[in-house]
Amino acid sequence: MPDPIRVLVVDDHPVVRQGLRTFLDLQDDIAVVGEASDSASCVAEARRTAPDVILLDLRMPGGDGVEALHALHGPGPGNDRAEPPLATPRVLVITSFTDPSAVLPAVRAGAAGYVYKDVDPPALAAAIRAVHAGHVLLHPDVARLLADGPPPAEAAHLTAREREVLAEVARGRSNREIARTLGLAEKTVKTHVSAILTKLGVQDRTQAALYAVRSGLDASP
């Protein structure tokens, strides 16, 4: 049996954290490895516990979710250059905001997707599994808002194959699914994804997917 997905729960309300832990601990393939209540403790716990997925609230006192995302993705409070590199986990935002524009800063900062706090528990577990597998969970309304923004800066040229792979990333497909769709080895897809991130100057596949959305590369053939 594969190792369980290691999850860090971040919310400023102890009751919410306990409720999430209680449910997630019932899943055979998910293990809650830590809890945090604000941005600084989120980064510290991420460094201590090395989670695969962070379940992150947006609004918290003493540092919100977007601040935590920036700290996880680069130098900042709790993630100093002098410290060992922090293996960036996938981040799933869990929020009470129903306005899609409210989650835009988190998505732009590298969140792999978001769910609402009234999500059905089985759907929450499914979302955690999806982002862990490499999927990007972008609601169509969020994608449209991103597409309505200013066009992205011109990036280094992508090859035709890299553009195909990027389009599949933007559709939320994992490396395994992309390999199956394009008839490639999964290792080849991983190499293409790494090259795409380097050429676009982005840090993860979520940001690459946003580039693709705003460039129109995610449109169905």
Side-chain angles (χ1 to χ4, degrees), residues 93-170:
V93 166
I94 181 165
T95 179
S96 57
F97 294 124
T98 57
D99 181 359
S101 64
V103 301
L104 281 179
V107 174
R108 290 185 174 126
Y114 73 96
V115 294
Y116 296 122
K117 284 191 174 180
D118 61 356
V119 64
D120 290 336
L124 173 61
I128 290 172
R129 296 182 185 109
V131 297
H132 178 251
H135 293 280
V136 178
L137 303 182
L138 286 183
H139 190 280
D141 289 343
V142 173
R144 280 194 291 271
L145 287 170
L146 290 165
D148 289 341
E154 190 65 31
H157 292 297
L158 300 179
T159 66
R161 179 61 82 186
E162 287 167 352
R163 290 172 67 86
E164 289 178 338
V165 171
L166 177 57
E168 297 301 323
V169 169

Side-chain angles (χ1 to χ4, degrees), residues 33-208:
V33 295
E35 299 179 15
S37 59
D38 57 24
S39 174
S41 60
C42 169
V43 177
E45 280 297 287
R47 187 176 295 280
R48 186 182 72 82
T49 62
D52 300 309
V53 175
I54 295 179
L55 196 57
L56 179 66
D57 189 18
L58 277 185
R59 178 170 290 178
M60 300 176 290
D64 64 13
V66 175
E67 182 178 325
L69 278 159
H70 285 303
L72 288 165
H73 282 79
N79 195 18
D80 189 89
R81 288 188 186 276
E83 294 288 337
L86 177 64
T88 305
R90 303 281 285 169
V91 176
L92 178 64
V93 166
I94 181 165
T95 179
S96 57
F97 294 124
T98 57
D99 181 359
S101 64
V103 301
L104 281 179
V107 174
R108 290 185 174 126
Y114 73 96
V115 294
Y116 296 122
K117 284 191 174 180
D118 61 356
V119 64
D120 290 336
L124 173 61
I128 290 172
R129 296 182 185 109
V131 297
H132 178 251
H135 293 280
V136 178
L137 303 182
L138 286 183
H139 190 280
D141 289 343
V142 173
R144 280 194 291 271
L145 287 170
L146 290 165
D148 289 341
E154 190 65 31
H157 292 297
L158 300 179
T159 66
R161 179 61 82 186
E162 287 167 352
R163 290 172 67 86
E164 289 178 338
V165 171
L166 177 57
E168 297 301 323
V169 169
R171 293 175 189 132
R173 291 176 178 150
S174 65
N175 287 352
R176 179 172 300 179
E177 292 170 329
I178 296 171
R180 186 165 55 245
T181 299
L182 299 181
L184 301 171
E186 189 173 348
K187 184 176 180 180
T188 301
V189 172
K190 185 176 181 179
T191 299
H192 282 312
V193 170
S194 295
I196 289 166
L197 299 184
T198 299
K199 289 184 177 183
L200 295 183
V202 297
Q203 295 173 321
D204 57 36
R205 61 195 298 133
T206 304
Q207 295 176 352

